[in-house]
Amino acid sequence: MQDALAILQKYWKHDKFRSLQKEIIDSVLSGQDTFALMPTGGGKSICFQIPAIMNDGICLVISPLVALMKDQVANLQKRNIKAIALTGGIRSEEMIDLLDNCQFGNYKFLYLSPERLQSDWILERIKSLPINLITIDEAHCVSQWGHDFRPAYLKISTLKKHFPKVPFLALTATATPRVKEDIITELELHNAQVFEKSFTRENIAYMVFEVEDKFFRIEQILKKNPEPSIIYVRNRKSCLEISSQLNALGFKATYYHGGLSSKEKDKNMQMWMNEDIQVIVATNAFGMGIDKANVKTVIHIQLPENLENYYQEAGRAGRNGEKAYAVLLTSPSDIIQAESQFINILPDKKFLNLMYVKLCNYFQIAYGEGINEQYTFNLHHFCLKYEFPTLKTYNAMQFLDRQGIISLSQEFSEKITLQFLIPSKEVIRYMSLNPNDEEIILAILRTYPGIYEMQTAFNLQLIAKKSNHKESEIQAVLHKLKGKEIIEYHSKNNDSTLIFNEVREDERTISRVSKYLENQNQLKKEQLQSVLNYISEKKVCKNKLILRYFGEKTEVDCGICSFCITKKNKKKNSTSLSNEIINLLQSEDLNSRDIQNRTKNNPEEVLFILKELLENNTILVKSNNKYTLKS
Ligand SMILES: [Zn+2]
């Protein structure tokens, strides 16, 4: 067995572990259930990937987000490590093949969602795999007090029964003490080894500024800090607006949000990564897989939904350890806006019920039917038809998605399916007559053996890579083949794909999950309250407020946040004022009104300083109420 460090060097090209990584790896290797809280991200996945590579067998990774799984699988594949993800939208037949691959193809990682684990036949197949470690990523999803509760996580502990000797590793980047307790209990971790990295980011200065003109302040900040910067905004529209305003002022800015095609996302992100531009204006869709060390400022121009998200987003600043700024710009109207944005749009049980019934009607699903049906879904069209408010509906859909009742993919993807209509003999003849198309056709036939029999989902990028042609060239060939009726070819653009994971049961479906809905609505209100407290608390260090929220105690002020800086300035001002008063009293005795008039400071401050000077015996009050220096 190679040692952990050798594997880190071989596959990741890092020469040493970051703090706690090695300890967590050792704990897992010793077969212990392990809980690890690693707030600052970057390096969490190494904690399970390295022990899994070191041991024989395959590591099961349970993860809540398709994009997260894809990102990690791509990362492993890039390092020539065999990994596979069972994400939504894969047909059962294909799934069986993939699972067979895991068993016989020497795969090291199998990623799947907690909902998948609930299918009996998938569980049966998994039971026969040589599992060496079970990793639960984003483990806070198991807690009702986490900000992303998913009930399917509660079922993960059943794996304990089937794999009594396999260690569990629960990983999270964000957990309050209450959530941490939940994770350990609900996942039934035995004598868990607990590793917690502090939430402290010593080089990040948390700044909260109440300003009238946010844009002007952004301009000032970016001018003073010309290094890479992220500006988080609330919606897609503001992304565009702020970014073009910045460009108009001569900054170099681009934008990023969930509505862009993956090509545009990649392009904009690359420009920023390569530092062709300074600023990326983004919604919270921007985050995953960003590993840019030298981000100087992360500016939020609207209130975040909760401090968990804020901490994650702000924490993208200063990964290189150099001083960095996390700035939150607020204005008085923000509180009302945040309430209408985050609280008023929470669906209640009645709305959820209504929406679910209409959703089934929309797709003409009969009671007791609909399981595993897949549809193309356009939210706006749906809302328009039933006169539903868009955001509330969106939230209700998200809730159903997290509860596993539906699966909603929000990728803007062009989906292509195709099938060959003529026998293989004829295809070969066609290729001999059209040698220029041969490479592309061969790549397709080799990649999709079943393509003669049925409409097959087709991956344009993959075929482009395999055949060594541009995507546009492949599209041209497909177009030609379609024209000659050699293939049938469909391509459609859709906002999202919707899959029903359960049969339609109207109220029965909804009442089963509605208690979670109420809890979550309550939690969301509490979370927003914590954000409001973070911005409005004027007497506590901002860093302290954040650490306190995550259950960490600290007595020291950070010295660099907006509170600490203001305090320092006040102190500086009061020192100069007290020097000024002493100077005045050196020439003559004065009463407090004289002093106020001559120093031109506000009365409270002058009185405060006089009191201080009296207390430390620098001055005295005489019987005529005049102050004099103590000799
Ligand atoms: Zn501070």
Side-chain angles (χ1 to χ4, degrees), residues 400-433:
L400 291 180
D401 177 80
R402 276 202 299 274
Q403 305 304 309
I405 292 170
I406 60 170
S407 298
L408 193 63
S409 85
Q410 285 159 294
E411 291 157 58
F412 273 71
S413 59
E414 192 185 31
K415 201 174 158 202
I416 302 175
T417 57
L418 80 92
Q419 179 175 9
F420 276 78
L421 299 173
I422 59 172
S424 61
K425 249 191 0 225
E426 298 288 329
V427 176
I428 293 166
R429 207 172 87 87
Y430 172 86
M431 285 193 286
S432 66
L433 296 172

PDB file of all heavy atoms in Angstrom, residues 400-433:
ATOM      1  N   LEU A 400     -40.082  20.439  -3.173  1.00  0.00           N
ATOM      2  CA  LEU A 400     -40.446  19.090  -3.618  1.00  0.00           C
ATOM      3  C   LEU A 400     -39.223  18.346  -4.135  1.00  0.00           C
ATOM      4  O   LEU A 400     -39.084  17.137  -3.952  1.00  0.00           O
ATOM      5  CB  LEU A 400     -41.509  19.160  -4.722  1.00  0.00           C
ATOM      6  CG  LEU A 400     -42.891  19.648  -4.291  1.00  0.00           C
ATOM      7  CD1 LEU A 400     -43.830  19.659  -5.488  1.00  0.00           C
ATOM      8  CD2 LEU A 400     -43.465  18.766  -3.191  1.00  0.00           C
ATOM      9  N   ASP A 401     -38.321  19.074  -4.759  1.00  0.00           N
ATOM     10  CA  ASP A 401     -37.089  18.470  -5.266  1.00  0.00           C
ATOM     11  C   ASP A 401     -36.237  17.955  -4.104  1.00  0.00           C
ATOM     12  O   ASP A 401     -35.764  16.835  -4.119  1.00  0.00           O
ATOM     13  CB  ASP A 401     -36.317  19.513  -6.089  1.00  0.00           C
ATOM     14  CG  ASP A 401     -34.983  18.993  -6.600  1.00  0.00           C
ATOM     15  OD1 ASP A 401     -35.005  18.269  -7.606  1.00  0.00           O
ATOM     16  OD2 ASP A 401     -33.951  19.283  -5.986  1.00  0.00           O
ATOM     17  N   ARG A 402     -36.078  18.789  -3.088  1.00  0.00           N
ATOM     18  CA  ARG A 402     -35.268  18.362  -1.942  1.00  0.00           C
ATOM     19  C   ARG A 402     -35.912  17.214  -1.188  1.00  0.00           C
ATOM     20  O   ARG A 402     -35.237  16.391  -0.586  1.00  0.00           O
ATOM     21  CB  ARG A 402     -35.030  19.533  -1.002  1.00  0.00           C
ATOM     22  CG  ARG A 402     -33.854  20.403  -1.434  1.00  0.00           C
ATOM     23  CD  ARG A 402     -33.313  21.174  -0.269  1.00  0.00           C
ATOM     24  NE  ARG A 402     -34.344  22.050   0.280  1.00  0.00           N
ATOM     25  CZ  ARG A 402     -34.580  23.267  -0.174  1.00  0.00           C
ATOM     26  NH1 ARG A 402     -33.863  23.753  -1.151  1.00  0.00           N
ATOM     27  NH2 ARG A 402     -35.515  24.009   0.355  1.00  0.00           N
ATOM     28  N   GLN A 403     -37.247  17.163  -1.214  1.00  0.00           N
ATOM     29  CA  GLN A 403     -37.934  16.062  -0.545  1.00  0.00           C
ATOM     30  C   GLN A 403     -37.914  14.794  -1.392  1.00  0.00           C
ATOM     31  O   GLN A 403     -38.410  13.757  -0.978  1.00  0.00           O
ATOM     32  CB  GLN A 403     -39.402  16.416  -0.249  1.00  0.00           C
ATOM     33  CG  GLN A 403     -39.613  17.679   0.546  1.00  0.00           C
ATOM     34  CD  GLN A 403     -38.877  17.676   1.863  1.00  0.00           C
ATOM     35  OE1 GLN A 403     -38.979  16.732   2.639  1.00  0.00           O
ATOM     36  NE2 GLN A 403     -38.098  18.696   2.124  1.00  0.00           N
ATOM     37  N   GLY A 404     -37.388  14.905  -2.606  1.00  0.00           N
ATOM     38  CA  GLY A 404     -37.284  13.727  -3.457  1.00  0.00           C
ATOM     39  C   GLY A 404     -38.568  13.377  -4.175  1.00  0.00           C
ATOM     40  O   GLY A 404     -38.665  12.329  -4.820  1.00  0.00           O
ATOM     41  N   ILE A 405     -39.582  14.219  -4.073  1.00  0.00           N
ATOM     42  CA  ILE A 405     -40.851  13.912  -4.742  1.00  0.00           C
ATOM     43  C   ILE A 405     -40.717  14.138  -6.252  1.00  0.00           C
ATOM     44  O   ILE A 405     -41.233  13.385  -7.054  1.00  0.00           O
ATOM     45  CB  ILE A 405     -41.986  14.760  -4.131  1.00  0.00           C
ATOM     46  CG1 ILE A 405     -42.209  14.275  -2.693  1.00  0.00           C
ATOM     47  CG2 ILE A 405     -43.265  14.646  -4.942  1.00  0.00           C
ATOM     48  CD1 ILE A 405     -43.124  15.139  -1.870  1.00  0.00           C
ATOM     49  N   ILE A 406     -40.012  15.177  -6.612  1.00  0.00           N
ATOM     50  CA  ILE A 406     -39.666  15.383  -8.016  1.00  0.00           C
ATOM     51  C   ILE A 406     -38.158  15.616  -8.122  1.00  0.00           C
ATOM     52  O   ILE A 406     -37.508  15.891  -7.106  1.00  0.00           O
ATOM     53  CB  ILE A 406     -40.390  16.606  -8.625  1.00  0.00           C
ATOM     54  CG1 ILE A 406     -40.010  17.884  -7.857  1.00  0.00           C
ATOM     55  CG2 ILE A 406     -41.890  16.416  -8.645  1.00  0.00           C
ATOM     56  CD1 ILE A 406     -40.476  19.168  -8.529  1.00  0.00           C
ATOM     57  N   SER A 407     -37.616  15.467  -9.323  1.00  0.00           N
ATOM     58  CA  SER A 407     -36.236  15.906  -9.562  1.00  0.00           C
ATOM     59  C   SER A 407     -36.278  16.965 -10.633  1.00  0.00           C
ATOM     60  O   SER A 407     -36.879  16.759 -11.687  1.00  0.00           O
ATOM     61  CB  SER A 407     -35.359  14.761 -10.059  1.00  0.00           C
ATOM     62  OG  SER A 407     -35.295  13.768  -9.088  1.00  0.00           O
ATOM     63  N   LEU A 408     -35.644  18.072 -10.335  1.00  0.00           N
ATOM     64  CA  LEU A 408     -35.696  19.195 -11.254  1.00  0.00           C
ATOM     65  C   LEU A 408     -34.280  19.547 -11.652  1.00  0.00           C
ATOM     66  O   LEU A 408     -33.467  19.883 -10.804  1.00  0.00           O
ATOM     67  CB  LEU A 408     -36.343  20.365 -10.512  1.00  0.00           C
ATOM     68  CG  LEU A 408     -36.797  21.554 -11.318  1.00  0.00           C
ATOM     69  CD1 LEU A 408     -37.890  21.171 -12.286  1.00  0.00           C
ATOM     70  CD2 LEU A 408     -37.298  22.637 -10.368  1.00  0.00           C
ATOM     71  N   SER A 409     -33.975  19.422 -12.929  1.00  0.00           N
ATOM     72  CA  SER A 409     -32.641  19.846 -13.335  1.00  0.00           C
ATOM     73  C   SER A 409     -32.777  21.218 -13.947  1.00  0.00           C
ATOM     74  O   SER A 409     -33.725  21.496 -14.672  1.00  0.00           O
ATOM     75  CB  SER A 409     -32.061  18.889 -14.363  1.00  0.00           C
ATOM     76  OG  SER A 409     -32.502  19.265 -15.637  1.00  0.00           O
ATOM     77  N   GLN A 410     -31.853  22.101 -13.605  1.00  0.00           N
ATOM     78  CA  GLN A 410     -31.995  23.468 -14.096  1.00  0.00           C
ATOM     79  C   GLN A 410     -30.947  23.802 -15.122  1.00  0.00           C
ATOM     80  O   GLN A 410     -30.623  24.951 -15.336  1.00  0.00           O
ATOM     81  CB  GLN A 410     -31.898  24.442 -12.949  1.00  0.00           C
ATOM     82  CG  GLN A 410     -33.141  24.430 -12.138  1.00  0.00           C
ATOM     83  CD  GLN A 410     -32.835  24.973 -10.783  1.00  0.00           C
ATOM     84  OE1 GLN A 410     -32.087  24.382 -10.015  1.00  0.00           O
ATOM     85  NE2 GLN A 410     -33.388  26.117 -10.497  1.00  0.00           N
ATOM     86  N   GLU A 411     -30.406  22.764 -15.719  1.00  0.00           N
ATOM     87  CA  GLU A 411     -29.372  23.070 -16.692  1.00  0.00           C
ATOM     88  C   GLU A 411     -30.005  23.469 -18.015  1.00  0.00           C
ATOM     89  O   GLU A 411     -30.939  22.839 -18.473  1.00  0.00           O
ATOM     90  CB  GLU A 411     -28.494  21.844 -16.915  1.00  0.00           C
ATOM     91  CG  GLU A 411     -27.653  21.536 -15.714  1.00  0.00           C
ATOM     92  CD  GLU A 411     -27.248  20.100 -15.706  1.00  0.00           C
ATOM     93  OE1 GLU A 411     -26.625  19.671 -16.671  1.00  0.00           O
ATOM     94  OE2 GLU A 411     -27.589  19.413 -14.741  1.00  0.00           O
ATOM     95  N   PHE A 412     -29.463  24.510 -18.581  1.00  0.00           N
ATOM     96  CA  PHE A 412     -29.896  24.875 -19.910  1.00  0.00           C
ATOM     97  C   PHE A 412     -29.093  24.017 -20.866  1.00  0.00           C
ATOM     98  O   PHE A 412     -27.942  24.313 -21.160  1.00  0.00           O
ATOM     99  CB  PHE A 412     -29.567  26.341 -20.175  1.00  0.00           C
ATOM    100  CG  PHE A 412     -30.626  27.253 -19.712  1.00  0.00           C
ATOM    101  CD1 PHE A 412     -30.822  27.445 -18.365  1.00  0.00           C
ATOM    102  CD2 PHE A 412     -31.443  27.883 -20.616  1.00  0.00           C
ATOM    103  CE1 PHE A 412     -31.818  28.289 -17.931  1.00  0.00           C
ATOM    104  CE2 PHE A 412     -32.425  28.737 -20.179  1.00  0.00           C
ATOM    105  CZ  PHE A 412     -32.624  28.947 -18.835  1.00  0.00           C
ATOM    106  N   SER A 413     -29.653  22.926 -21.294  1.00  0.00           N
ATOM    107  CA  SER A 413     -28.812  22.074 -22.113  1.00  0.00           C
ATOM    108  C   SER A 413     -29.535  21.780 -23.412  1.00  0.00           C
ATOM    109  O   SER A 413     -30.747  21.727 -23.470  1.00  0.00           O
ATOM    110  CB  SER A 413     -28.532  20.775 -21.387  1.00  0.00           C
ATOM    111  OG  SER A 413     -29.750  20.132 -21.113  1.00  0.00           O
ATOM    112  N   GLU A 414     -28.748  21.634 -24.425  1.00  0.00           N
ATOM    113  CA  GLU A 414     -29.341  21.209 -25.669  1.00  0.00           C
ATOM    114  C   GLU A 414     -29.296  19.695 -25.662  1.00  0.00           C
ATOM    115  O   GLU A 414     -28.231  19.096 -25.544  1.00  0.00           O
ATOM    116  CB  GLU A 414     -28.562  21.779 -26.850  1.00  0.00           C
ATOM    117  CG  GLU A 414     -29.324  21.603 -28.117  1.00  0.00           C
ATOM    118  CD  GLU A 414     -28.543  22.051 -29.328  1.00  0.00           C
ATOM    119  OE1 GLU A 414     -27.310  21.949 -29.311  1.00  0.00           O
ATOM    120  OE2 GLU A 414     -29.194  22.476 -30.288  1.00  0.00           O
ATOM    121  N   LYS A 415     -30.456  19.114 -25.732  1.00  0.00           N
ATOM    122  CA  LYS A 415     -30.495  17.658 -25.641  1.00  0.00           C
ATOM    123  C   LYS A 415     -30.659  17.105 -27.048  1.00  0.00           C
ATOM    124  O   LYS A 415     -31.589  17.461 -27.762  1.00  0.00           O
ATOM    125  CB  LYS A 415     -31.682  17.254 -24.772  1.00  0.00           C
ATOM    126  CG  LYS A 415     -31.527  15.865 -24.219  1.00  0.00           C
ATOM    127  CD  LYS A 415     -32.647  15.561 -23.256  1.00  0.00           C
ATOM    128  CE  LYS A 415     -32.788  14.070 -23.134  1.00  0.00           C
ATOM    129  NZ  LYS A 415     -34.110  13.696 -22.670  1.00  0.00           N
ATOM    130  N   ILE A 416     -29.730  16.231 -27.421  1.00  0.00           N
ATOM    131  CA  ILE A 416     -29.817  15.643 -28.754  1.00  0.00           C
ATOM    132  C   ILE A 416     -30.067  14.154 -28.608  1.00  0.00           C
ATOM    133  O   ILE A 416     -29.422  13.479 -27.815  1.00  0.00           O
ATOM    134  CB  ILE A 416     -28.503  15.846 -29.536  1.00  0.00           C
ATOM    135  CG1 ILE A 416     -28.164  17.334 -29.647  1.00  0.00           C
ATOM    136  CG2 ILE A 416     -28.591  15.216 -30.922  1.00  0.00           C
ATOM    137  CD1 ILE A 416     -26.820  17.587 -30.293  1.00  0.00           C
ATOM    138  N   THR A 417     -31.001  13.609 -29.355  1.00  0.00           N
ATOM    139  CA  THR A 417     -31.130  12.161 -29.429  1.00  0.00           C
ATOM    140  C   THR A 417     -31.073  11.790 -30.901  1.00  0.00           C
ATOM    141  O   THR A 417     -31.502  12.552 -31.765  1.00  0.00           O
ATOM    142  CB  THR A 417     -32.471  11.664 -28.850  1.00  0.00           C
ATOM    143  OG1 THR A 417     -33.531  12.301 -29.538  1.00  0.00           O
ATOM    144  CG2 THR A 417     -32.566  11.939 -27.380  1.00  0.00           C
ATOM    145  N   LEU A 418     -30.506  10.606 -31.168  1.00  0.00           N
ATOM    146  CA  LEU A 418     -30.492  10.195 -32.563  1.00  0.00           C
ATOM    147  C   LEU A 418     -30.504   8.683 -32.730  1.00  0.00           C
ATOM    148  O   LEU A 418     -30.209   7.944 -31.797  1.00  0.00           O
ATOM    149  CB  LEU A 418     -29.337  10.876 -33.311  1.00  0.00           C
ATOM    150  CG  LEU A 418     -27.913  10.399 -33.232  1.00  0.00           C
ATOM    151  CD1 LEU A 418     -27.638   9.434 -34.349  1.00  0.00           C
ATOM    152  CD2 LEU A 418     -26.993  11.597 -33.400  1.00  0.00           C
ATOM    153  N   GLN A 419     -30.891   8.263 -33.922  1.00  0.00           N
ATOM    154  CA  GLN A 419     -30.996   6.844 -34.231  1.00  0.00           C
ATOM    155  C   GLN A 419     -30.673   6.642 -35.713  1.00  0.00           C
ATOM    156  O   GLN A 419     -31.049   7.472 -36.547  1.00  0.00           O
ATOM    157  CB  GLN A 419     -32.434   6.364 -33.952  1.00  0.00           C
ATOM    158  CG  GLN A 419     -32.633   4.894 -34.271  1.00  0.00           C
ATOM    159  CD  GLN A 419     -34.024   4.401 -33.873  1.00  0.00           C
ATOM    160  OE1 GLN A 419     -34.887   5.199 -33.504  1.00  0.00           O
ATOM    161  NE2 GLN A 419     -34.236   3.104 -33.952  1.00  0.00           N
ATOM    162  N   PHE A 420     -29.951   5.575 -36.021  1.00  0.00           N
ATOM    163  CA  PHE A 420     -29.712   5.251 -37.429  1.00  0.00           C
ATOM    164  C   PHE A 420     -30.907   4.503 -37.993  1.00  0.00           C
ATOM    165  O   PHE A 420     -31.431   3.591 -37.364  1.00  0.00           O
ATOM    166  CB  PHE A 420     -28.438   4.411 -37.573  1.00  0.00           C
ATOM    167  CG  PHE A 420     -27.203   5.266 -37.631  1.00  0.00           C
ATOM    168  CD1 PHE A 420     -26.674   5.813 -36.471  1.00  0.00           C
ATOM    169  CD2 PHE A 420     -26.568   5.541 -38.842  1.00  0.00           C
ATOM    170  CE1 PHE A 420     -25.545   6.621 -36.515  1.00  0.00           C
ATOM    171  CE2 PHE A 420     -25.442   6.342 -38.900  1.00  0.00           C
ATOM    172  CZ  PHE A 420     -24.925   6.886 -37.734  1.00  0.00           C
ATOM    173  N   LEU A 421     -31.317   4.892 -39.185  1.00  0.00           N
ATOM    174  CA  LEU A 421     -32.540   4.323 -39.740  1.00  0.00           C
ATOM    175  C   LEU A 421     -32.244   3.238 -40.771  1.00  0.00           C
ATOM    176  O   LEU A 421     -33.115   2.443 -41.121  1.00  0.00           O
ATOM    177  CB  LEU A 421     -33.378   5.422 -40.398  1.00  0.00           C
ATOM    178  CG  LEU A 421     -33.828   6.543 -39.456  1.00  0.00           C
ATOM    179  CD1 LEU A 421     -34.498   7.665 -40.239  1.00  0.00           C
ATOM    180  CD2 LEU A 421     -34.790   6.005 -38.401  1.00  0.00           C
ATOM    181  N   ILE A 422     -31.015   3.209 -41.295  1.00  0.00           N
ATOM    182  CA  ILE A 422     -30.705   2.225 -42.334  1.00  0.00           C
ATOM    183  C   ILE A 422     -29.786   1.145 -41.761  1.00  0.00           C
ATOM    184  O   ILE A 422     -29.114   1.371 -40.761  1.00  0.00           O
ATOM    185  CB  ILE A 422     -30.054   2.888 -43.573  1.00  0.00           C
ATOM    186  CG1 ILE A 422     -28.748   3.609 -43.156  1.00  0.00           C
ATOM    187  CG2 ILE A 422     -31.014   3.855 -44.251  1.00  0.00           C
ATOM    188  CD1 ILE A 422     -27.938   4.114 -44.318  1.00  0.00           C
ATOM    189  N   PRO A 423     -29.762  -0.060 -42.336  1.00  0.00           N
ATOM    190  CA  PRO A 423     -28.944  -1.151 -41.791  1.00  0.00           C
ATOM    191  C   PRO A 423     -27.450  -0.818 -41.843  1.00  0.00           C
ATOM    192  O   PRO A 423     -27.026   0.013 -42.653  1.00  0.00           O
ATOM    193  CB  PRO A 423     -29.244  -2.345 -42.707  1.00  0.00           C
ATOM    194  CG  PRO A 423     -30.321  -1.926 -43.621  1.00  0.00           C
ATOM    195  CD  PRO A 423     -30.509  -0.455 -43.538  1.00  0.00           C
ATOM    196  N   SER A 424     -26.681  -1.482 -41.011  1.00  0.00           N
ATOM    197  CA  SER A 424     -25.262  -1.149 -40.887  1.00  0.00           C
ATOM    198  C   SER A 424     -24.512  -1.312 -42.214  1.00  0.00           C
ATOM    199  O   SER A 424     -23.608  -0.550 -42.527  1.00  0.00           O
ATOM    200  CB  SER A 424     -24.618  -1.997 -39.793  1.00  0.00           C
ATOM    201  OG  SER A 424     -24.720  -3.350 -40.108  1.00  0.00           O
ATOM    202  N   LYS A 425     -24.899  -2.295 -43.016  1.00  0.00           N
ATOM    203  CA  LYS A 425     -24.308  -2.494 -44.345  1.00  0.00           C
ATOM    204  C   LYS A 425     -24.353  -1.205 -45.168  1.00  0.00           C
ATOM    205  O   LYS A 425     -23.379  -0.778 -45.774  1.00  0.00           O
ATOM    206  CB  LYS A 425     -25.128  -3.566 -45.090  1.00  0.00           C
ATOM    207  CG  LYS A 425     -24.386  -4.840 -45.298  1.00  0.00           C
ATOM    208  CD  LYS A 425     -25.060  -5.838 -46.256  1.00  0.00           C
ATOM    209  CE  LYS A 425     -26.369  -5.462 -46.884  1.00  0.00           C
ATOM    210  NZ  LYS A 425     -27.363  -6.584 -46.847  1.00  0.00           N
ATOM    211  N   GLU A 426     -25.544  -0.600 -45.123  1.00  0.00           N
ATOM    212  CA  GLU A 426     -25.756   0.618 -45.897  1.00  0.00           C
ATOM    213  C   GLU A 426     -24.912   1.772 -45.369  1.00  0.00           C
ATOM    214  O   GLU A 426     -24.441   2.609 -46.131  1.00  0.00           O
ATOM    215  CB  GLU A 426     -27.242   1.026 -45.853  1.00  0.00           C
ATOM    216  CG  GLU A 426     -28.187   0.027 -46.457  1.00  0.00           C
ATOM    217  CD  GLU A 426     -28.082  -0.004 -47.981  1.00  0.00           C
ATOM    218  OE1 GLU A 426     -27.775   1.073 -48.569  1.00  0.00           O
ATOM    219  OE2 GLU A 426     -28.283  -1.078 -48.553  1.00  0.00           O
ATOM    220  N   VAL A 427     -24.757   1.781 -44.054  1.00  0.00           N
ATOM    221  CA  VAL A 427     -23.960   2.849 -43.448  1.00  0.00           C
ATOM    222  C   VAL A 427     -22.510   2.724 -43.907  1.00  0.00           C
ATOM    223  O   VAL A 427     -21.851   3.715 -44.242  1.00  0.00           O
ATOM    224  CB  VAL A 427     -24.067   2.803 -41.909  1.00  0.00           C
ATOM    225  CG1 VAL A 427     -23.163   3.859 -41.278  1.00  0.00           C
ATOM    226  CG2 VAL A 427     -25.511   3.035 -41.462  1.00  0.00           C
ATOM    227  N   ILE A 428     -22.018   1.484 -43.944  1.00  0.00           N
ATOM    228  CA  ILE A 428     -20.633   1.248 -44.388  1.00  0.00           C
ATOM    229  C   ILE A 428     -20.469   1.704 -45.845  1.00  0.00           C
ATOM    230  O   ILE A 428     -19.482   2.338 -46.216  1.00  0.00           O
ATOM    231  CB  ILE A 428     -20.260  -0.240 -44.217  1.00  0.00           C
ATOM    232  CG1 ILE A 428     -20.225  -0.571 -42.714  1.00  0.00           C
ATOM    233  CG2 ILE A 428     -18.908  -0.553 -44.846  1.00  0.00           C
ATOM    234  CD1 ILE A 428     -20.195  -2.032 -42.398  1.00  0.00           C
ATOM    235  N   ARG A 429     -21.471   1.397 -46.649  1.00  0.00           N
ATOM    236  CA  ARG A 429     -21.432   1.810 -48.039  1.00  0.00           C
ATOM    237  C   ARG A 429     -21.389   3.342 -48.143  1.00  0.00           C
ATOM    238  O   ARG A 429     -20.588   3.905 -48.883  1.00  0.00           O
ATOM    239  CB  ARG A 429     -22.674   1.281 -48.774  1.00  0.00           C
ATOM    240  CG  ARG A 429     -22.464   1.076 -50.271  1.00  0.00           C
ATOM    241  CD  ARG A 429     -23.679   0.371 -50.862  1.00  0.00           C
ATOM    242  NE  ARG A 429     -24.718   1.334 -51.247  1.00  0.00           N
ATOM    243  CZ  ARG A 429     -24.766   1.953 -52.427  1.00  0.00           C
ATOM    244  NH1 ARG A 429     -23.844   1.704 -53.336  1.00  0.00           N
ATOM    245  NH2 ARG A 429     -25.732   2.801 -52.709  1.00  0.00           N
ATOM    246  N   TYR A 430     -22.204   3.986 -47.317  1.00  0.00           N
ATOM    247  CA  TYR A 430     -22.221   5.444 -47.319  1.00  0.00           C
ATOM    248  C   TYR A 430     -20.837   6.007 -46.972  1.00  0.00           C
ATOM    249  O   TYR A 430     -20.338   6.928 -47.605  1.00  0.00           O
ATOM    250  CB  TYR A 430     -23.274   5.985 -46.336  1.00  0.00           C
ATOM    251  CG  TYR A 430     -23.207   7.487 -46.160  1.00  0.00           C
ATOM    252  CD1 TYR A 430     -23.886   8.334 -47.035  1.00  0.00           C
ATOM    253  CD2 TYR A 430     -22.430   8.066 -45.151  1.00  0.00           C
ATOM    254  CE1 TYR A 430     -23.801   9.719 -46.900  1.00  0.00           C
ATOM    255  CE2 TYR A 430     -22.333   9.446 -45.012  1.00  0.00           C
ATOM    256  CZ  TYR A 430     -23.026  10.267 -45.898  1.00  0.00           C
ATOM    257  OH  TYR A 430     -22.929  11.629 -45.771  1.00  0.00           O
ATOM    258  N   MET A 431     -20.206   5.369 -45.976  1.00  0.00           N
ATOM    259  CA  MET A 431     -18.897   5.883 -45.548  1.00  0.00           C
ATOM    260  C   MET A 431     -17.853   5.732 -46.655  1.00  0.00           C
ATOM    261  O   MET A 431     -16.997   6.599 -46.828  1.00  0.00           O
ATOM    262  CB  MET A 431     -18.426   5.151 -44.282  1.00  0.00           C
ATOM    263  CG  MET A 431     -19.181   5.602 -43.036  1.00  0.00           C
ATOM    264  SD  MET A 431     -18.423   5.062 -41.502  1.00  0.00           S
ATOM    265  CE  MET A 431     -18.843   3.328 -41.509  1.00  0.00           C
ATOM    266  N   SER A 432     -17.920   4.618 -47.390  1.00  0.00           N
ATOM    267  CA  SER A 432     -16.932   4.433 -48.451  1.00  0.00           C
ATOM    268  C   SER A 432     -17.136   5.464 -49.571  1.00  0.00           C
ATOM    269  O   SER A 432     -16.183   5.878 -50.224  1.00  0.00           O
ATOM    270  CB  SER A 432     -16.984   3.002 -48.994  1.00  0.00           C
ATOM    271  OG  SER A 432     -18.226   2.796 -49.630  1.00  0.00           O
ATOM    272  N   LEU A 433     -18.373   5.908 -49.743  1.00  0.00           N
ATOM    273  CA  LEU A 433     -18.636   6.933 -50.753  1.00  0.00           C
ATOM    274  C   LEU A 433     -18.353   8.344 -50.239  1.00  0.00           C
ATOM    275  O   LEU A 433     -18.120   9.251 -51.008  1.00  0.00           O
ATOM    276  CB  LEU A 433     -20.098   6.839 -51.231  1.00  0.00           C
ATOM    277  CG  LEU A 433     -20.483   5.540 -51.945  1.00  0.00           C
ATOM    278  CD1 LEU A 433     -21.989   5.481 -52.203  1.00  0.00           C
ATOM    279  CD2 LEU A 433     -19.720   5.407 -53.268  1.00  0.00           C
TER     280      LEU A 433
END
